[in-house]
């Protein structure tokens, strides 16, 4: 186990030496596992089916859902969130969606401007995109504090 890895061999790595050191134990474990699974395959399969059926019965017939308790616990958890945090998150979401839309519009405008000739559809789209960009730039930033 505590053999020194020869540094002269370039293909030798710690992982390869680890594999060489423990490969007999890993192979023995694989053989034992395979033999166990081969001997008891029907029992393992039946127990898997039994667990699935038991889970189904417990889920739909025995265990009652406690949705009222879940909703109350969710309300209690929501009360622990600071009051201004929800407003901050919505403002952040609004700003990020606005930034994404502006980036898309700028990319599309640059693509249209980079063309040699512009079609009528591109011209109409360009006008609308520029108007939207102006709207985003001139929109009051009431979200920011």
């Amino acid at each position: 186990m505590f053999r020194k890895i020869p540094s002269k061999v370039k293909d030798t790595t710690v992982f390869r030496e680890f594999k060489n050191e423990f490969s007999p134990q890993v192979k023995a474990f694989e053989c034992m596992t395979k033999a166990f699974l081969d001997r008891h395959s029907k029992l393992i399969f039946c127990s898997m089916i039994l667990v699935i059926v038991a889970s189904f019965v417990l889920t739909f017939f025995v265990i009652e859902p406690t949705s009222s308790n879940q909703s109350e616990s969710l309300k209690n958890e929501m009360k622990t969130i600071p009051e201004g945090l929800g407003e901050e998150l919505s403002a952040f979401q609004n700003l990020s969606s606005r930034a994404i839309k502006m980036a898309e519009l700028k990319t599309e405008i640059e693509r249209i401007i980079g063309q040699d000739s512009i079609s009528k559809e591109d011209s109409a789209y360009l006008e609308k995109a520029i108007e939207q960009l102006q709207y985003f730039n001139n929109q009051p930033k009431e979200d920011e504090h």
Side-chain angles (χ1 to χ4, degrees), residues 44-56:
I44 292 170
F45 179 75
C46 291
S47 62
M48 286 178 10
I49 297 298
L50 183 66
V51 167
I52 291 171
V53 170
S55 172
F56 176 78

Side-chain angles (χ1 to χ4, degrees), residues 4-103:
K4 180 180 177 184
I5 298 174
S7 60
K8 296 175 186 173
V9 180
K10 299 293 181 185
D11 293 336
T12 304
T13 63
V14 174
F15 298 112
R16 184 168 290 147
E17 288 297 317
F18 187 78
K19 180 181 174 186
N20 290 341
E21 186 70 31
F22 292 106
S23 64
Q25 288 84 1
V26 171
K27 286 181 183 176
F29 178 73
E30 286 177 358
C31 290
M32 286 178 19
T33 306
K34 185 174 178 359
F36 177 80
L37 292 175
D38 287 341
R39 270 186 270 133
H40 304 290
S41 60
K42 289 182 182 179
L43 179 64
I44 292 170
F45 179 75
C46 291
S47 62
M48 286 178 10
I49 297 298
L50 183 66
V51 167
I52 291 171
V53 170
S55 172
F56 176 78
V57 168
L58 287 173
T59 302
F60 291 105
F61 299 113
V62 176
I63 300 174
E64 295 179 17
T66 57
S67 61
S68 62
N69 293 342
Q70 290 175 353
S71 64
E72 289 175 11
S73 65
L74 181 62
K75 287 178 185 176
N76 291 337
E77 289 177 13
M78 293 299 285
K79 288 179 183 176
T80 61
I81 296 176
E83 193 171 311
L85 184 62
E87 296 171 4
E88 294 292 329
L89 289 175
S90 64
F92 178 71
Q93 182 182 12
N94 187 13
L95 287 174
S96 63
S97 64
R98 193 183 323 170
I100 290 169
K101 183 69 175 169
M102 287 177 68

Side-chain angles (χ1 to χ4, degrees), residues 105-116 122 125:
L105 289 173
K106 285 181 181 180
T107 303
E108 195 63 25
I109 289 172
E110 290 172 357
R111 183 192 65 80
I112 292 173
I113 290 175
Q115 294 177 352
D116 291 335
D122 286 342
Y125 180 82

